[in-house]
Amino acid sequence: MVVSLVGPLALSVFIIAAVVATGWLFAIPQLTTVVNGRVPMAPTTALGFLLYAGYLAYWYYLARGRSLRRLRLVLGAFLMIGSLSLLLPYVYNGPDLENLLYAGRLPSSLVPYPGRMSPLTAFMFFNLGLVLSTLLLRLRDFYVAQFLLLINIAMSLVFLVGYLLAEPGLYSPGPYTSIANLTVFCFLLISFATLCAYPRQTVSSVFAGSSLGGFVARRLLPLCLLIAILGGSICVLGVRCGLWNWKLGTAFQAVFEASIFALLVFAIALSINKNERNRELSIAQHEKLAGQRDNFMAVLTHDLKNPLIGSDHVLSALLMGQLGPLTDGQKQLIWFLKQGNHELLIKVKNLLALYKYDRENPAFDLCRTDVANLVREAVDGVKEQASLRKVELVPELGSDLPQVSVDITAMVQVLTHLLRNAVRLSGPGQKVTIEACLEPPLNVAGSCLVAIVVRDQGPGLTEPDWERFCESSSRTSLPCDGQEPSDSGLGTYLSHRIVQAMGGKLSCESKPGAGCAFKIELPAVSEPVSHDLRGFA
């Protein structure tokens, strides 16, 4: 993970700055430059790196997970104010802060403004201070701090190329103090470390992501920069050594970079193909395991269903007195056993249906049917439960309703589930109505909708509860009156998925204490027909 780079990079910069500060403190000039650099890192520059790198190291090793907002804003303000104050001697003959701090330790006249911070360095420190102050400021989807860090990284690369090619015009701001090569290296490290510290922000997210884009960016961009710098360096060195002129050197550079880029793209393409093959194998293996799991669960739930159905018949026979007379206490106990067995059977059936229908493209056997037939089958399946709870089922179907195209088994399962919930949430003497009517189209070109509404007089639901029922990960339970186990919400989620897959919509209108109205909207597929409502009584 890219965050793991923050600590080592910050410590590296901190150590370099500490060595330079030691060189100034004990008058050891060899410690303030690198590779016989002509311009040393200024003592104020070393102090700035000590503060910034120390902050990053402290955040990474000791305060990860804490915001450190106050410390970050104070350090950002200090860097901005300090860098602006160090620019004053370059603008006009005002107070020279560096000269006041360590006048006796500055070198004499080898370079303009010797031992003082370069204006380029001051500008980049100002940028770092601004980064700390705007670290979480976002304009649309782009973080401001990331843009400022990219400016520092781009400037550091330009200065680095200038030193590699020995071109002072790339790192020297005219007659003023040039930025030291060691300073350039530290800015590059510290800016990159700050990018890595926030891998979810705009630019960092591209490199830190596990997607194909992140894979290519992490490998291609650093090598492209390295190849471009290497090609330019070879061209310039060849001209200076008299191996070729500028035209031949430029042509050689173009051929060299094109060849390396082609090899690089080929190598990355091979790596991507290998990763893609591994990914396809992994997907195939997961699909195979998922298929085996689904088959196992289907067999398991089917095997669990059979003994539950058998025990349900036995309990029903006991309650009806077919196996001999029972006392009132025994009947009540057997009734509770039957209800628990019944709820368990429903959950097993829901689980079996979940593995059948909970897919991106579930398979349905669609056919045209009358809404009255669907309602009749659902009501027949709930009559016994309603009778035991002394709840009245009241069908209210319109006389002229068109047909709908649905999977009859799946839609009856949805209606049965909604009716069972409504009956369970209703008390003795209350009514559960199931209404069906024709609704006008939403627009002129649209088709009519058939609405089926299951309405109860129970405790009702809140809108957040209904939204959670539509999520597969929900463990919300419907309320219950204590006489029967509460529903786990699996059947409601499954009903929502089935209706949605058939081109319909399942919604809920409810207020706490005022009952629920579950509404199914299905597109009509034929002209209205008259229904015989006899048989619903």
Side-chain angles (χ1 to χ4, degrees):
M1 194 174 182
V2 293
V3 179
S4 60
L5 298 175
V6 176
L9 291 176
L11 279 182
S12 300
V13 175
F14 188 87
I15 292 172
I16 293 173
V19 170
V20 171
T22 302
W24 284 107
L25 185 63
F26 296 100
I28 307 175
Q30 292 81 2
L31 298 181
T32 63
T33 59
V34 64
V35 197
N36 295 323
R38 181 168 176 262
V39 182
M41 179 190 289
T44 45
T45 302
L47 176 62
F49 282 131
L50 283 173
L51 292 175
Y52 194 92
Y55 164 78
L56 277 185
Y58 172 72
W59 171 83
Y60 180 80
Y61 289 109
L62 300 176
R64 186 92 69 89
R66 295 165 54 188
S67 64
L68 301 180
R69 182 175 180 272
R70 184 173 300 177
L71 176 61
R72 175 167 49 84
L73 293 178
V74 169
L75 180 57
F78 177 80
L79 290 176
M80 286 190 291
I81 295 173
S83 57
L84 288 176
S85 63
L86 294 175
L87 284 172
L88 292 179
Y90 294 101
V91 179
Y92 65 97
N93 294 326
D96 188 345
L97 181 60
E98 290 175 292
N99 189 50
L100 294 175
L101 291 175
Y102 39 80
R105 298 186 182 277
L106 294 176
S108 54
S109 58
L110 293 177
V111 293
Y113 299 95
R116 292 172 174 81
M117 182 183 288
S118 168
L120 296 175
T121 304
F123 174 77
M124 296 178 76
F125 267 125
F126 182 84
N127 251 8
L128 288 181
L130 202 55
V131 164
L132 292 178
S133 302
T134 61
L135 201 56
L136 302 178
L137 177 62
R138 182 169 57 181
L139 298 178
R140 293 188 178 179
D141 294 331
F142 198 91
Y143 286 87
V144 175
Q146 300 257 304
F147 176 72
L148 298 173
L149 288 171
L150 289 179
I151 292 177
N152 269 17
I153 292 175
M155 292 178 64
S156 300
L157 290 174
V158 171
F159 302 152
L160 183 62
V161 170
Y163 271 106
L164 291 175
L165 302 182
E167 287 294 333
L170 293 178
Y171 59 82
S172 180
Y176 302 110
T177 304
S178 303
I179 186 170
N181 49 15
L182 196 57
T183 302
V184 173
F185 181 69
C186 288
F187 270 124
L188 196 59
L189 293 184
I190 207 68
S191 299
F192 185 68
T194 309
L195 278 178
C196 293
Y198 295 88
R200 295 184 180 180
Q201 292 187 0
T202 313
V203 178
S204 305
S205 63
V206 176
F207 290 89
S210 58
S211 62
L212 182 61
F215 174 83
V216 174
R218 287 191 296 271
R219 286 157 178 78
L220 194 58
L221 187 58
L223 291 176
C224 287
L225 295 173
L226 181 62
I227 291 169
I229 294 173
L230 182 61
S233 301
I234 292 175
C235 175
V236 172
L237 290 176
V239 172
R240 289 179 178 174
C241 295
L243 299 178
W244 48 62
N245 56 28
W246 279 108
K247 290 183 179 181
L248 184 60
T250 304
F252 173 80
Q253 178 183 356
V255 172
F256 171 80
E257 292 181 359
S259 302
I260 299 297
F261 279 134
L263 291 174
L264 178 60
V265 171
F266 180 74
I268 291 179
L270 289 178
S271 181
I272 291 175
N273 288 338
K274 181 180 178 180
N275 289 343
E276 192 68 16
R277 286 194 298 269
N278 293 336
R279 187 180 68 86
E280 290 175 356
L281 290 174
S282 177
I283 291 175
Q285 185 177 7
H286 282 302
E287 289 179 349
K288 182 179 178 180
L289 291 175
Q292 294 174 349
R293 180 199 62 189
D294 291 351
N295 291 335
F296 171 76
M297 291 301 299
V299 172
L300 178 62
T301 51
H302 184 271
D303 291 344
L304 286 173
K305 184 172 64 173
N306 291 332
L308 290 173
I309 293 175
S311 62
D312 188 70
H313 289 326
V314 173
L315 293 172
S316 296
L318 287 171
L319 281 176
M320 295 172 63
Q322 296 177 359
L323 301 179
L326 298 175
T327 65
D328 292 340
Q330 289 173 333
K331 288 182 179 180
Q332 185 177 11
L333 179 61
I334 292 175
W335 186 83
F336 278 117
L337 289 174
K338 180 177 173 59
Q339 290 302 315
N341 185 84
H342 182 69
E343 289 295 328
L344 183 57
L345 181 60
I346 290 176
K347 287 180 171 62
V348 170
K349 289 181 178 180
N350 285 338
L351 186 61
L352 183 61
L354 179 67
Y355 284 97
K356 181 179 179 181
Y357 297 126
D358 192 22
R359 300 288 184 274
E360 291 185 1
N361 297 302
F364 289 108
D365 183 15
L366 300 179
C367 62
R368 293 189 176 189
T369 185
D370 293 336
V371 175
N373 294 333
L374 300 174
V375 174
R376 181 179 288 109
E377 288 192 43
V379 170
D380 288 342
V382 188
K383 275 184 177 180
E384 182 181 357
Q385 180 188 5
S387 177
L388 290 173
R389 292 187 61 86
K390 299 179 181 179
V391 174
E392 182 182 0
L393 294 175
V394 182
E396 297 179 358
L397 276 69
S399 59
D400 296 314
L401 291 177
Q403 292 184 325
V404 292
S405 178
V406 295
D407 185 308
I408 295 177
T409 303
M411 189 52 63
V412 169
Q413 179 181 351
V414 171
L415 292 174
T416 302
H417 168 74
L418 296 179
L419 285 172
R420 288 189 189 280
N421 277 342
V423 170
R424 186 178 62 251
L425 297 176
S426 301
Q430 293 184 336
K431 295 181 180 180
V432 171
T433 60
I434 178 167
E435 308 166 5
C437 59
L438 187 64
E439 291 192 346
L442 298 177
N443 51 63
V444 177
S447 61
C448 293
L449 298 175
V450 177
I452 306 173
V453 182
V454 177
R455 196 183 308 275
D456 63 62
Q457 298 174 334
L461 285 175
T462 62
E463 186 174 350
D465 287 336
W466 166 244
E467 292 176 354
R468 285 193 291 270
F469 278 128
C470 297
E471 300 175 1
S472 60
S473 59
S474 173
R475 294 183 179 269
T476 305
S477 297
L478 283 171
C480 68
D481 57 5
Q483 298 182 19
E484 295 189 14
S486 65
D487 180 57
S488 64
L490 179 62
T492 308
Y493 160 72
L494 188 58
S495 300
H496 172 76
R497 289 283 291 119
I498 291 175
V499 174
Q500 189 179 51
M502 293 185 187
K505 179 183 177 182
L506 175 61
S507 57
C508 178
E509 297 178 1
S510 175
K511 291 181 180 180
C516 293
F518 286 93
K519 183 179 182 181
I520 300 174
E521 295 175 300
L522 297 170
V525 294
S526 69
E527 295 297 326
V529 295
S530 298
H531 295 296
D532 183 6
L533 302 183
R534 290 175 296 177
F536 281 97

